[in-house]
Amino acid sequence: MAIDIVDLTRFYETPLGGHVATHLIDEISRIWPQAAGPHDAVLAYGYGLPLAEPLWPNADWQFLMPAQQGALAPQENDPPRILGDERQWPLRTESVNRLIMLHGLEAANHLDALMEQAWRVLVPNGRAIFIVSNRRGFWARRDQTPFGAGRPFSSGQLRKLLRRTGFVQGQSRAALLLPPHLPERLMRTLRWIERPATLLLPQLGGVWLIEAVKKIPAPTGSKMALRYRSAAVIRPALSPYSASCHAPAI
């Protein structure tokens, strides 16, 4: 079940939502220490608005929001925000250098089709980070946060999903160990122990951040390996990016 765009916006405007965004930005920066620049096409699928400006203010951002979630109209000078079907993204093949998916997998009605679209739009050796609720963590059990909606995943399920859809797994991290129902003041006080505790007990983290790399050809045995060998990938006419993008060195 997808969270409505209005509810997502309200959550990330709260102190708890700010806490979440800060931790996710820190972990993304550890996985990808090299910042994306103005020539890097970065796609945020799901709800990436709280991450973009603090993470890489100079990158060429694009926001793709699933139809079941809805989209906010952009303000003046905002990057484009596109409302799209999870099974057919209105983006050109091999046009995205980096992809960040937040509140996307848990709400997907067509999981493999969604992952195939992610694989399609990434350039060869392009990288993605999928941020997903941990089925064993406290956050997946709390309906008052967006991580309590939809389908949570175990780390093993995520690895199988990546292999099945043609990705090679990169780094994997857990985040948000502290329960979301803690008082704000206590959460701020205990913030310093959150990361070392998550490193010691990753299975109790609230979310997984898992990096995936698009390899050409796709790994043998995956759906995309067969599709890539049997037919050329169709390139949609609508494209906010140039097809000449190259993967970043990360």
Side-chain angles (χ1 to χ4, degrees), residues 1-18 20-21 24 44-51 64-72 81 83 101-107 131 133 143-150:
M1 181 179 66
I3 301 293
D4 186 81
I5 188 67
V6 175
D7 294 327
L8 283 168
T9 303
R10 287 174 178 166
F11 172 77
Y12 281 100
E13 289 174 348
T14 66
L16 181 60
V20 169
L24 295 182
Y45 178 87
Y47 191 74
L49 295 175
L51 309 180
L64 178 58
M65 299 178 177
Q68 62 266 36
Q69 169 191 292
L72 294 174
R81 301 176 186 180
L83 189 68
M101 189 176 293
L102 173 62
H103 304 306
L105 287 183
E106 301 99 320
I131 305 171
S133 300
D143 293 340
Q144 287 78 5
T145 81
F147 298 101

Side-chain angles (χ1 to χ4, degrees), residues 8-51:
L8 283 168
T9 303
R10 287 174 178 166
F11 172 77
Y12 281 100
E13 289 174 348
T14 66
L16 181 60
H19 170 84
V20 169
T22 297
H23 274 264
L24 295 182
I25 290 166
D26 288 346
E27 294 301 331
I28 292 170
S29 297
R30 290 186 176 98
I31 295 173
W32 291 340
Q34 181 177 338
H39 301 295
D40 293 311
V42 181
L43 175 65
Y45 178 87
Y47 191 74
L49 295 175
L51 309 180

Side-chain angles (χ1 to χ4, degrees), residues 60-104:
D60 179 16
W61 282 94
Q62 185 88 357
F63 299 97
L64 178 58
M65 299 178 177
Q68 62 266 36
Q69 169 191 292
L72 294 174
Q75 304 298 317
E76 187 177 0
N77 299 323
D78 279 348
R81 301 176 186 180
I82 302 171
L83 189 68
D85 189 314
E86 63 185 20
R87 296 168 295 181
Q88 188 173 0
W89 293 4
L91 303 172
R92 179 172 293 180
T93 296
E94 297 183 0
S95 61
V96 173
N97 299 101
R98 306 193 200 188
L99 166 67
I100 297 176
M101 189 176 293
L102 173 62
H103 304 306

Side-chain angles (χ1 to χ4, degrees), residues 104-126:
L105 287 183
E106 301 99 320
N109 296 320
H110 307 278
L111 189 59
D112 280 25
L114 173 65
M115 293 295 289
E116 289 171 10
Q117 286 297 300
W119 194 92
R120 179 183 67 80
V121 302
L122 281 167
V123 299
N125 294 320

Side-chain angles (χ1 to χ4, degrees), residues 219-237:
T220 302
S222 70
K223 290 183 175 182
M224 295 309 295
L226 179 61
R227 183 171 300 183
Y228 193 84
R229 288 194 296 268
S230 62
V233 181
I234 298 173
R235 298 176 182 267

